[in-house]
Amino acid sequence: MNLVGNSAPLVCVVGFHHARGPEIEKWFGVDDGSDPATENDWTLLPFMALSDGSHTSTEDFSYFTLRATSTSPATSMFGISCTRQMDATHLLERPADVTRSTVQKAVVVIAYSPQLFGHIREKLSMVTGAWFAQRDFTDVDILKKFQESLSRNIQDAEDDKDQYLGQSLRELVYEYKHQTLVLFKCCLLQPKMLFFGSRCERLCMMQFSLISLIPGLLEHLEDCADPEFDSYEQSLVKPTSLRTSERSSLLSFMGLPLQPFGKGSLFGPYTPLQQLDVLADHDTRSYLVGSTNSLLLQQKDRYSDILINLDETSVTVTSPSLRKALSLSHADRRWIDFLLHHVTSNWNPLNPSRPTTLGYIGSEEFIRLQFEEYLLSLLSCTKYHLYLRSNPGSPPPISEIEGDPSLDFGADWIAAWKQTNNFRLFDAIADSHLFDIVEPRHPTAGSLSIDDVQRRLAQQIQTLHLDDRFANTKESLNKQFATGQKKVSTAFSKVWNDIEAFRETQRRKAIESSATQQNQQPENGLPALSLTKSEPNASTAPKIKGKSSSPSLARFASTRTPDLTSMQASMSAAGQRAGVYMSSWGAWAAEKKKGWSKRNEGEDEDGKGREKGAGERFSPKKVKEETRGDGIGRLDA
């Protein structure tokens, strides 16, 4: 049967059997007795339709490629499946072969072009949901009518083809920042690119978004399903004319589309584990594939040169040579910074596909045309580079261009691209003087400026999301600080209260001791005193030998409880002895004063002067002055 051209898409049902696994249950839109899966060796179709992990979601979509070998020449077909599941107890009539608690099935549409998927997807989702709502999978009338409607509307769908397919480019740029340009340039180098993600539809749409940035490539994917296919190169014709007023003529003359999926290459938006032998085959030199199985993450070094993890929004380059080639130049960084600025400044999280201004700047079309301009400049600069290499002694063809403009795209990347199959085809069909059509200059060419450095640093700091990362840490620190502050305040208050209580106790003891001393009678005897100069503001009472001072008492009190009765008795006795001593010393001083006065009256004038000097030295006034310091008199011989 004819599977290409304008033939209607095919529809089939894939179910999961508890013993046999995924299998095709029924076809719609084929001749009686015909089985396209057998005719084209589509043994992996059931595994592609029921993706790994699809049972974890209510509804999921899978996109894949198939080999159509029954046609001449062999070409590629494209499939889209809508997978749903329901509880087996909800079935109106439960078949005997349904032994599991859930029933999982997928409705699959196979078309000759992925550009029809935008037209088909919404209808497929509604039809699959309605079929499951019947709760009777033997009633397939709705699926027959769905396939017939696709057949009747195939011409309308042909006129309404999606020129672009995939995830929103604004989301792509917003999520992957400068890595978006890295992925675009990586695709042209034709390495082994592996995409991983837990959601199959997002995984596939990411890949379609990437290849749609190459103008015209979605219309020429006839060789992408098998590394052995090579029909595109066989039918390639070099353009001989150019109509600059027509965009398609200009793109064709510039050698577009660049073809990364030719002989030795494979494109599989969703690739099951059963297809790993094709990836590991010696004849498969490059591919762009996606997987939802985490087992491939454990073998990323074997199956990939670059791994794009959609769940972590990360890009890991495992090949050292590829990592060197993908290093962006200053001009490249300036270009992607310019594009990123216009996306982020108009970002609307509620509607990511449209800028907040609803204008052209930052829109999907704006991003796509920026990539188209970048690619045309790259092709022109490359042809200028080849001309300079082939004519080393001749003057440059364009005097305004200094040096080699291709260096702005990265010398290592240019050298790596020249080794690829898509460059070989481009060089063969594109005119050698493309730089006469498009100026050979990087869109953001120029030397590195301070603005570039500042903008780059600002974006890198913004990428770190320091506020988000340290928000929890800051909150935790604030809580710990508040708790610690409260504990310190409580402890300090407790210590201060203890000090105040101790001081109050000491004050009461001093009052009681003073009252006891006043009530006691003086005792005879003179205790030995330690006559030392008191410190300022200190008590003028003499310090008794053998007794500790107040600080010592305080330290002693802190270690053990003193005997208050014995202490009060000792202090009372010491006070009485000090009083007796002071009284006897005062009587002696009075007697001396009388003797000095009589001696002074009988001496002559000179003697009076000498005795006067001596009298002044021993006068009561002098003695009184010398006792002002500490209350204890000092007597000089």
Side-chain angles (χ1 to χ4, degrees), residues 274-294:
Q274 290 76 10
Q275 207 172 0
L276 289 182
D277 58 335
V278 179
L279 303 184
D281 190 270
H282 178 72
D283 293 332
T284 306
R285 298 188 297 271
S286 67
Y287 48 73
L288 177 65
V289 297
S291 175
T292 59
N293 197 308
S294 59

Side-chain angles (χ1 to χ4, degrees), residues 566-604:
S566 60
M567 177 181 284
Q568 292 175 358
S570 298
M571 293 179 66
S572 176
Q576 293 173 4
R577 292 190 183 95
V580 172
Y581 175 80
M582 294 299 292
S583 298
S584 60
W585 183 83
W588 175 83
E591 293 178 358
K592 283 292 185 179
K593 180 179 178 182
K594 293 178 181 180
W596 294 334
S597 299
K598 293 179 181 180
R599 187 182 307 173
N600 291 339
E601 292 176 356
E603 293 181 352
D604 55 10

Side-chain angles (χ1 to χ4, degrees), residues 45-77:
L45 172 58
F47 300 95
M48 295 176 176
L50 292 176
S51 61
D52 294 332
S54 60
H55 62 279
T56 61
S57 58
T58 304
E59 181 184 67
D60 201 4
F61 291 84
S62 175
Y63 299 77
F64 49 89
T65 58
L66 295 168
R67 302 159 54 251
T69 56
S70 62
T71 62
S72 182
T75 188
S76 300
M77 300 290 288

Side-chain angles (χ1 to χ4, degrees), residues 95-144:
D97 59 348
V98 178
T99 61
R100 295 196 173 193
S101 59
T102 59
V103 179
Q104 186 182 31
K105 294 182 182 293
V107 178
V108 184
V109 177
I110 299 175
Y112 62 89
S113 172
Q115 293 178 291
L116 297 174
F117 286 165
H119 176 74
I120 293 173
R121 183 195 177 283
E122 295 303 323
K123 291 184 178 180
L124 177 60
S125 177
M126 291 187 292
V127 168
T128 306
W131 187 45
F132 268 73
Q134 294 178 166
R135 298 189 297 166
D136 181 9
F137 293 125
T138 60
D139 184 0
V140 293
D141 185 59
I142 189 174
L143 300 182
K144 292 180 181 179

Side-chain angles (χ1 to χ4, degrees), residues 11 95 139 180 186 196 246 311 420 422 463 478 564 586:
V11 177
D139 184 0
T180 307
C186 181
F196 170 81
E246 295 184 9
D311 291 346
T420 63
N422 73 84
T463 304
N478 288 337
L564 297 179

